[in-house]
């Protein structure tokens, strides 16, 4: 018995013709925040290439950026979880310093670095847990809670060390050092690990119920509770995630720069750079929506601004101008993307 093939009518043919185009449109609409962040990065890099093609068409500049960029990537991705949940964390830089202190002191004291690192990271996770409990259980505002924790940890580190640093150059060339900040192919190892961290964060945010619960909690707290979501636990875990990431960033920082010094660097500048990376990357301040890929592009954008301004022939004073301009453009873009859905 022959099987008759049904021929599509005109409407079916039209739907078949437009389906690929609708697929492209749906993709662009679903990922517009991340694509907007990529567009900002592309325009910025085009400007730098035109300003100094000799530098930006070479590889040295990217080699230099990729050495320190992973620290910002590791910090910004978990921070997006906290922002999306409707909270903020301003203590991650001091948590990073605190964890680095724990790592440096134990490694210098004779611990195997493969044991010192988990110890330091767990210390960062503990700080995140305290932040989360103070916000969700005690009911303190996250802005002031984490700002207070930032000063508390910084004072603890400075007071506990007497501003005396610890050198970590003895770790250079060891298997631990080569694994995390050596070379993997043509890339610095820390950049490869940062990309692995990006994949994990993306899967957690987009394909795990934790990511869905974080978005629900940030979008409508009461409705989330009525749906059976344990919002206090979700937010606390988001803070713990930030603390763990800060611990990882602290260990990477110690290996990269070969030292721990309580007063080294500019904590405020790093904090603002990471926060800017999240906002430039497509995560608005009101919670409920965010993007991991966008945060990655945002971190690249802010990092290249700081390096590219000098290489383009401008003075370092223009760095803050471009940072402010990019942030304002990003905030304006958020208003255009205001419908709240996750991608």
């Amino acid at each position: 018995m022959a099987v008759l093939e049904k021929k599509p009518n005109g409407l079916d043919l039209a739907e078949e013709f437009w389906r690929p185009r609708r697929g492209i449109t749906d993709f662009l609409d679903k990922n517009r925040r991340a694509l907007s962040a990529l567009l900002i990065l592309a325009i910025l890099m085009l400007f730098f290439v035109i300003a100094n093609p000799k530098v930006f068409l070479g590889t040295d500049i990217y080699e230099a950026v990729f050495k320190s960029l992973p620290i910002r990537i590791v910090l910004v991705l978990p921070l997006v979880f906290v922002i999306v949940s409707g909270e903020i964390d301003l203590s991650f830089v001091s948590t990073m310093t605190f964890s680095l202190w724990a790592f440096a002191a134990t490694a210098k004291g004779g611990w195997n670095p493969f044991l010192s690192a988990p110890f330091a990271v767990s210390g960062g996770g503990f700080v995140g847990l305290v932040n989360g409990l103070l916000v969700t259980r005690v009911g303190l505002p996250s802005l002031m809670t984490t700002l207070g924790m930032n000063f508390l940890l910084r004072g603890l580190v400075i007071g506990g060390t007497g501003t005396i640093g610890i050198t970590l150059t003895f770790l250079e060339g060891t298997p631990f050092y080569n694994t995390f900040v050596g070379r993997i192919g043509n890339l610095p190892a820390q950049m490869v690990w940062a990309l692995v961290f990006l994949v994990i964060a993306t899967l957690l945010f987009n394909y795990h119920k934790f990511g869905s619960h974080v978005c629900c909690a940030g979008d409508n707290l009461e409705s989330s509770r009525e749906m059976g979501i344990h919002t206090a636990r979700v937010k606390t875990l988001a803070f713990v995630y930030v603390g763990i990431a800060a611990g990882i960033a602290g260990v990477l920082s110690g290996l990269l720069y070969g030292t721990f010094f309580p007063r080294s660097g500019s904590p405020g500048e790093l904090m603002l750079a990471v926060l800017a990376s999240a906002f430039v990357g497509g995560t608005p301040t009101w919670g409920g929506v965010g993007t991991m890929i966008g945060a990655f592009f945002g971190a690249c954008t802010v990092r290249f601004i700081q390096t590219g301004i000098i290489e383009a022939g401008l003075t370092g004073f223009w760095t803050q101008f471009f940072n402010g301009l990019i942030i304002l453009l990003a905030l304006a873009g958020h208003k255009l993307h205001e419908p709240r859905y996750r991608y």
Side-chain angles (χ1 to χ4, degrees), residues 17-80:
F17 175 77
W18 285 105
R19 184 175 293 123
R21 297 191 179 186
R22 286 208 312 269
I24 295 174
T25 302
D26 290 344
F27 173 81
L28 294 176
D29 189 58
K30 184 179 180 182
N31 297 279
R32 54 183 175 174
R33 292 183 185 276
L35 292 174
S36 296
L38 176 59
L39 179 61
I40 292 173
L41 176 61
I43 293 174
L44 181 72
M45 296 308 298
L46 179 61
F47 168 78
F48 288 147
V49 168
I50 294 174
N52 194 338
K54 182 178 179 180
V55 171
F56 288 95
L57 292 180
T59 59
D60 291 344
I61 183 74
Y62 302 100
E63 177 78 16
V65 168
F66 288 166
K67 286 183 178 179
S68 59
L69 177 61
I71 293 177
R72 302 187 181 200
I73 294 173
V74 170
L75 288 172
V76 73
L77 297 177
L79 185 63
V80 170

Side-chain angles (χ1 to χ4, degrees), residues 288-309:
V289 290
T291 163
M292 293 294 112
I293 301 297
F296 170 79
F297 291 141
C300 293
T301 298
V302 175
R303 181 66 185 87
F304 272 106
I305 285 177
Q306 295 177 326
T307 301
I309 291 298

Side-chain angles (χ1 to χ4, degrees), residues 82-84 86-88 279 282-289 331 334 340:
V82 171
I83 297 173
V84 171
E87 306 294 347
I88 192 67
F279 299 140
T283 299
T285 56
W286 55 75
V289 290
L331 292 175
H334 292 335
R340 299 187 178 188

Side-chain angles (χ1 to χ4, degrees), residues 17 32 34 44 54 67 74 77 131 136 140 159 174 209 214 216 264 271 301 322-323 330:
F17 175 77
R32 54 183 175 174
L44 181 72
K54 182 178 179 180
K67 286 183 178 179
V74 170
L77 297 177
N131 283 334
T136 62
L140 302 181
T174 63
K209 66 178 181 180
V214 165
C216 290
S264 63
M271 179 193 297
T301 298
F322 277 93
N323 279 334

